[in-house]
């Protein structure tokens, strides 16, 4: 995935903020002189984190620019930017305390995406999904949850789960997650039209979607698969819905709740 890369951590983000006339520290949840609260050290002070901080800032900007056009046009819903919080090991969110074991998540209470940078290491080493676009897919999926929040879809799902007495909780959860995968594909579709994608990027996204399927994770962790306990969908489902969004580029192709 083609993107401007550089070095310099906090200094680079400060310089870029001055050059582009806006506060890039706000976009990544870090203020000059203030870092995200973590138990693993300050991200902005670690030279090893600098390229990833800059990368996710670029992806965040691109994804939100895409949805700022798509959401009002296709759903007649105004767009409001989400914020991104980067951390390692643990963080306090508007939805409560979170550990790195939870993986990346979106909190509708504060409209922030939380990404433990250690998950990107795990995506490569444990799940076998390397590449920068695989990392971009993870962020685009979480931005997909922000789209659902602005649409009111997440609240509708919560009401339906309560109405079912919990019997349909997993089915609705899977549908919500697969729709976020499809929305990530829509972002990839529009990014491809901007000629930002490079050869092999879509394959990286598909591989990442498949790598974090419930069946694959259960097989790795327990040696067995229980579809009744799925919350995100199988590897095949996740890759299929990402591809559907990528090929159509339209929100109406992402009705994972039909039927």
């Amino acid at each position: 995935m083609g993107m401007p890369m550089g070095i310099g951590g906090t200094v680079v983000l400060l310089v870029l903020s001055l050059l582009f006339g806006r506060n890039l520290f706000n976009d990544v949840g870090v203020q000059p002189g203030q870092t995200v609260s973590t138990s693993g050290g300050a991200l902005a002070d670690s030279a090893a984190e600098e390229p990833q901080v800059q990368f996710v800032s670029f992806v965040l900007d691109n994804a939100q620019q895409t949805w700022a056009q798509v959401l009002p046009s296709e759903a007649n819903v105004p767009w409001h930017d989400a914020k991104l919080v980067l951390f390692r090991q643990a963080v306090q969110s508007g939805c409560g305390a979170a550990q790195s074991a939870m993986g990346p998540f979106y909190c509708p209470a504060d409209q922030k995406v939380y990404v433990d940078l250690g998950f990107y290491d795990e995506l490569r080493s444990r799940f076998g999904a390397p590449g920068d676009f695989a990392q971009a897919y993870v962020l685009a999926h979480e931005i997909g949850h922000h789209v659902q929040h602005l649409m009111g879809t997440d609240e509708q799902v919560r009401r339906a789960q309560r109405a079912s007495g919990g019997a349909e909780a997993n089915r609705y959860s899977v549908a919500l997650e697969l729709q976020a995968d499809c929305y990530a594909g829509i972002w990839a579709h529009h990014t491809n039209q901007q000629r930002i994608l490079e050869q092999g990027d879509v394959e990286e996204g598909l591989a990442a979607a498949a790598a974090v399927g419930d069946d694959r994770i259960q097989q790795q962790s327990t040696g067995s698969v229980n579809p009744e306990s799925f919350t995100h969908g199988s590897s095949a489902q996740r890759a299929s819905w990402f591809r559907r969004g990528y090929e159509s580029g339209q929100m109406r192709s992402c009705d994972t709740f039909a039927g």
Side-chain angles (χ1 to χ4, degrees):
M1 181 176 182
M3 61 159 288
M5 291 293 290
I7 60 174
T10 303
V11 175
V12 166
L13 285 177
L14 179 59
V15 171
L16 290 175
S17 296
L18 294 173
L19 287 175
F20 290 106
R22 65 184 187 82
N23 192 346
L24 293 178
F25 291 92
N26 280 338
D27 292 346
V28 296
V30 181
Q31 296 291 334
Q34 175 187 354
T35 62
V36 176
S37 176
T38 75
S39 60
L43 295 178
D45 294 336
S46 173
E49 312 287 11
E50 294 167 3
Q52 280 193 320
V53 169
Q54 202 168 351
F55 174 76
V56 294
S57 180
F58 170 81
V59 174
L60 179 72
D61 281 350
N62 187 266
Q64 302 209 109
Q65 288 167 8
T66 295
W67 282 108
Q69 298 178 17
V70 172
L71 191 61
S73 175
E74 295 194 19
N76 196 30
V77 172
W79 175 260
H80 303 289
D81 281 354
K83 295 293 180 65
L84 176 66
V85 177
L86 304 177
F87 70 100
R88 279 191 182 273
Q89 299 184 24
V91 70
Q92 186 68 36
S93 77
C95 297
Q99 302 291 326
S100 59
M102 293 175 56
F105 66 96
Y106 172 75
C107 176
D110 57 18
Q111 298 187 30
K112 293 180 180 180
V113 172
Y114 292 82
V115 177
D116 177 6
L117 291 179
F119 178 80
Y120 285 148
D121 302 331
E122 193 175 20
L123 190 65
R124 179 185 65 255
S125 60
R126 176 186 173 189
F127 297 113
D132 54 6
F133 194 79
Q135 298 179 18
Y137 151 77
V138 171
L139 180 55
H141 171 92
E142 300 305 334
I143 291 296
H145 285 311
H146 184 56
V147 174
Q148 292 170 325
H149 181 64
L150 296 180
M151 292 276 292
T153 307
D154 55 353
E155 178 56 32
Q156 292 174 23
V157 165
R158 285 191 289 271
R159 287 200 300 266
Q161 289 174 321
R162 289 194 295 268
S164 74
E168 298 293 328
N170 280 37
R171 183 176 71 84
Y172 282 116
S173 175
V174 168
L176 193 72
E177 296 295 337
L178 293 179
Q179 187 177 67
D181 283 328
C182 190
Y183 286 165
I186 289 177
W187 165 73
H189 171 90
H190 288 276
T191 302
N192 190 39
Q193 289 185 328
Q194 298 167 23
R195 301 185 182 278
I196 295 177
L197 297 189
E198 297 173 346
Q199 185 175 3
D201 277 346
V202 173
E203 287 71 20
E204 286 182 7
L206 289 168
V212 290
D214 285 325
D215 53 344
R216 182 171 180 180
I217 293 175
Q218 288 182 358
Q219 184 67 46
Q220 286 184 340
S221 58
T222 68
S224 61
V225 176
N226 179 18
E228 295 297 321
S229 65
F230 285 1
T231 57
H232 285 65
S234 69
S235 294
Q237 287 175 315
R238 301 199 69 172
S240 175
W241 280 102
F242 175 83
R243 183 180 290 279
R244 189 175 302 195
Y246 172 72
E247 291 179 347
S248 73
Q250 298 179 330
M251 294 183 70
R252 65 171 178 263
S253 300
C254 296
D255 186 4
T256 55
F257 298 91

